[in-house]
Amino acid sequence: MNAPVNLKAINKDEFTPWPESLAAHYRNAGIWTGIALGNLPQLLAERHPERTALVDANTRWTYAELAQQVDRLAAGFLQLGLRAGDRVVVQLPNQIAFFTVCFALWRLGVRPVMALPAHRSAEIGAFLQQSEAVAYIGIDQYNGFDYRNLIRDLVPKTKSLRYVIVLGEEQEFINYDNLFIEAHDLPPVNPADVALYQLSGGTTGTPKLIPRTHDDYLYSVRASAAVCHLDQNSVYLCVLPQAHNFPLTSPGTLGTLWAGGRVVLADSGSPDVAFPLIAQEGVTITALVPPLAMVWLEAARTRRAELESLRLLQVGGAKFSEAAARRVRPELGCTLQQIFGMAEGLLNYTRLNDPEELIVTTQGRPLSPEDEVLIVDDEDQPVAAGEVGNLLTRGPYTIRGYFRAPEHNARAFTPDGFYRTGDRARLTPSGHIVVEGRSKEQINRGGEKIAAEEVENALLTHPALHNAALVAMPDPYLGERACAFLVAREGTAVPTNIAIRKHLREQGLADYKLPDRCVWLPELPRTGVGKVDKQALAQLAAKPNQ
């Protein structure tokens, strides 16, 4: 049954609702079904209790076991003190516990902020402060990094933080395993409420929080599962960080669970890890970013036999070159599906029955018939058919505003609710999108988005630096890498590149944000109005011997 939307209770700095007429249309059309995400485990367990739902390196759970554990953890969270509307930063690797935690939080109406294992103190501290999170849920150690030290340093700086929950050796924090108690009746959750916060790519610093509701998120999952023809025989291998919107919902792990299939979790996309899992579990579908797809294409030359069960390879996160796309079917023996989307909403898929030429040359067409897509010039006027312009969109699963960002929202959204994606694109006669670049100042390093301004600000805290600018440089493997142009303070010794990277790590930046290359200049070039000429710097960065 659809729950009513209490518009009076909505703080528009935290969540910008769809116009009520549109919301009513989406509900009446069955686009929004009124199912809260936290109710999915029980609903799916009733459909197929004994089917395997989740597999990781240590555990295999049926749908019935997942539902039971989610209810027990939700009861424990409630007893601990978590309440509907609370925000919790969740930072977990590819393990079943991620799903237990998220479903249990959703069951209570508590809203996870989807942090990634690669995030460090700069990002996690900003998420905690920005969201006023009451809790942090993480792991003790992963890939040689101790997350307890990270959160220990942030606790005194975060007034809102009341609970730190740790998987593994908790030390002075709360032990995750001790939170599971006997399940009992839990309060209902309004599916029109915010369910979670995804993270924006960010162009001016730390990612902004993207409020996604139960209704809109589940629609995206359901529609994606249908487009990809998922069913109970589907086996999805998750090798990308599972909190990313792409492997979570496109159709990803949640779409596979919705269809009654099996999700296999891997902590690496390396062929040495992934290929044996594909053979062992009979994996039928997986999702990669372009650099990882290139690694798989090379490895498949001698290991094709391990990939016999694979039917669909999704590639997204960054543009996949046409030359590489043409290699997928003959070399991996499966269908390629290109995906272009954003955590803010809009998803585009090449369809499984599209002609091969569309599959290898476009980034797909919109998921929903309710998606509206415009290609406009810098004055928001439509460009001629087939011309490149700025991509704008709105629809039933695309947000109308970021969390607590009114000034940014005024720039990022049109008055009539279209989201300015920051992408440059063109439309084919078939309605497929071809992505031609970014209009926002952002570097897409193999699917990881780097905000130039954030890195520049961190660079300028180095005592030897007078000025800094970060630009993208082309790379055949990652698509783009980051190149820093640096100007030293007069009278100071020029630091080594190793020293620069060490300084940025000390500022709490994640490793993927560190410059791949540093170029020292006597001064940065300027435009006619005195701004740093990043176009000129990008041309310099493209020269291999600069």
Side-chain angles (χ1 to χ4, degrees):
M1 182 174 179
N2 292 338
V5 183
N6 182 2
L7 291 177
K8 292 181 180 178
I10 291 173
N11 180 338
K12 291 194 175 184
D13 281 348
E14 298 187 358
F15 172 63
T16 306
W18 284 261
E20 180 51 32
S21 59
L22 264 183
H25 164 66
Y26 295 150
R27 289 193 292 270
N28 293 334
I31 293 170
W32 293 351
T33 57
I35 299 173
L37 294 174
N39 292 335
L40 285 182
Q42 188 59 46
L43 184 155
L44 297 172
E46 291 170 0
R47 293 178 184 172
H48 21 246
E50 300 307 317
R51 292 187 65 83
T52 301
L54 293 163
V55 178
D56 67 14
N58 302 306
T59 309
R60 301 177 76 89
W61 274 2
T62 65
Y63 280 90
E65 289 171 325
L66 172 62
Q68 179 188 50
Q69 294 303 314
V70 166
D71 282 353
R72 292 183 63 225
L73 183 57
F77 282 155
L78 187 66
Q79 179 174 278
L80 182 67
L82 295 181
R83 296 294 182 267
D86 284 344
R87 290 175 285 271
V88 174
V89 173
V90 175
Q91 187 180 29
L92 293 170
N94 285 14
Q95 296 178 0
I96 287 176
F98 170 86
F99 294 93
T100 320
V101 165
C102 288
F103 278 124
L105 294 174
W106 290 330
R107 184 70 181 83
L108 298 175
V110 178
R111 303 163 183 180
V113 177
M114 298 297 204
L116 303 174
H119 286 141
R120 293 296 181 258
S121 59
E123 296 88 8
I124 297 300
F127 301 154
L128 291 168
Q129 294 285 349
Q130 189 177 353
S131 69
E132 295 182 342
V134 302
Y136 167 90
I137 302 176
I139 195 166
D140 53 0
Q141 298 182 71
Y142 179 68
N143 279 348
F145 183 79
D146 194 321
Y147 290 85
R148 295 164 300 188
N149 290 337
L150 179 154
I151 194 63
R152 184 176 291 119
D153 291 341
L154 293 173
V155 167
K157 306 172 187 176
T158 313
K159 293 180 180 179
S160 61
L161 195 62
R162 302 199 301 269
Y163 316 107
V164 174
I165 299 164
V166 173
L167 281 70
E169 295 295 329
E170 77 278 14
Q171 295 180 346
E172 74 267 36
F173 303 119
I174 298 168
N175 183 281
Y176 166 78
D177 291 327
N178 293 341
L179 292 174
F180 290 79
I181 64 173
E182 185 176 348
H184 53 75
D185 289 341
L186 298 169
V189 172
N190 185 343
D193 281 345
V194 173
L196 70 151
Y197 298 92
Q198 274 290 355
L199 307 175
S200 74
T203 59
T204 58
T206 305
K208 291 178 175 57
L209 303 186
I210 301 168
R212 301 295 300 266
T213 68
H214 297 267
D215 271 332
D216 88 73
Y217 216 55
L218 183 55
Y219 171 66
S220 173
V221 167
R222 290 167 34 239
S224 295
V227 160
C228 297
H229 299 180
L230 297 191
D231 58 25
Q232 293 184 16
N233 297 314
S234 299
V235 182
Y236 181 88
L237 177 64
C238 181
V239 301
L240 301 176
Q242 60 197 2
H244 258 303
N245 200 61
F246 178 21
L248 188 61
T249 69
S250 304
T253 54
L254 292 183
T256 303
L257 294 175
W258 174 261
R262 183 182 347 137
V263 171
V264 180
L265 302 168
D267 62 6
S268 167
S270 159
D272 288 342
V273 173
F275 284 20
L277 282 173
I278 292 172
Q280 175 186 316
E281 297 289 340
V283 168
T284 62
I285 173 176
T286 192
L288 306 176
V289 291
L292 193 50
M294 298 300 293
V295 172
W296 281 33
L297 285 167
E298 294 304 309
R301 293 180 176 183
T302 57
R303 304 177 66 169
R304 173 78 176 268
E306 294 174 276
L307 306 179
E308 284 188 8
S309 64
L310 193 62
R311 298 288 175 264
L312 185 63
L313 176 69
Q314 300 179 303
V315 179
K319 188 171 180 178
F320 198 33
S321 74
E322 180 183 338
R326 291 188 184 278
R327 294 174 57 189
V328 170
R329 193 182 297 274
E331 295 183 31
L332 297 182
C334 61
T335 298
L336 169 67
Q337 183 175 56
Q338 294 214 47
I339 298 180
F340 163 65
M342 54 212 68
E344 287 84 355
L346 177 69
L347 296 172
N348 301 273
Y349 295 83
T350 56
R351 300 318 200 249
L352 305 193
N353 60 353
D354 274 346
E356 186 73 5
E357 198 63 18
L358 280 177
I359 290 176
V360 300
T361 60
T362 78
Q363 282 67 61
R365 56 186 170 87
L367 169 66
S368 172
E370 298 279 348
D371 283 321
E372 298 177 74
V373 169
L374 299 177
I375 306 292
V376 300
D377 61 21
D378 290 343
E379 281 72 47
D380 285 349
Q381 297 303 306
V383 302
E387 292 295 312
V388 176
N390 302 312
L391 175 64
L392 276 59
T393 186
R394 66 182 180 185
Y397 60 99
T398 297
I399 64 168
R400 295 286 179 126
Y402 291 102
F403 175 82
R404 293 183 182 172
E407 292 183 5
H408 182 75
N409 287 340
R411 299 188 299 272
F413 296 85
T414 67
D416 53 352
F418 277 90
Y419 169 56
R420 302 183 190 277
T421 68
D423 293 291
R424 302 275 293 170
R426 59 182 172 86
L427 286 177
T428 69
S430 62
H432 287 62
I433 288 177
V434 179
V435 178
E436 300 288 1
R438 293 283 294 171
S439 56
K440 292 181 177 178
E441 199 170 297
Q442 185 186 76
I443 298 164
N444 189 337
R445 189 183 188 279
E448 297 284 7
K449 310 300 194 304
I450 304 170
E453 184 176 327
E454 178 188 17
V455 180
E456 289 164 355
N457 288 338
L459 283 165
L460 290 172
T461 64
H462 194 291
L465 285 185
H466 168 67
N467 209 347
L470 195 77
V471 299
M473 58 183 178
D475 183 82
Y477 180 61
L478 291 170
E480 293 179 340
R481 289 183 186 266
C483 180
F485 287 91
L486 307 174
V487 178
R489 288 185 185 276
E490 189 174 348
T492 61
V494 173
T496 65
N497 291 357
I498 292 174
I500 292 292
R501 291 170 65 87
K502 180 176 182 290
H503 175 76
L504 292 177
R505 286 195 180 98
E506 290 170 350
Q507 301 305 302
L509 262 63
D511 273 10
Y512 71 83
K513 297 180 180 180
L514 307 186
D516 296 287
R517 179 177 164 203
C518 294
V519 178
W520 293 88
L521 297 176
E523 62 181 359
L524 298 181
R526 301 280 176 175
T527 66
V529 294
K531 293 183 179 180
V532 172
D533 190 344
K534 289 205 167 181
Q535 186 173 354
L537 291 177
Q539 292 172 353
L540 284 175
K543 297 178 181 179
N545 295 322
Q546 172 59 45

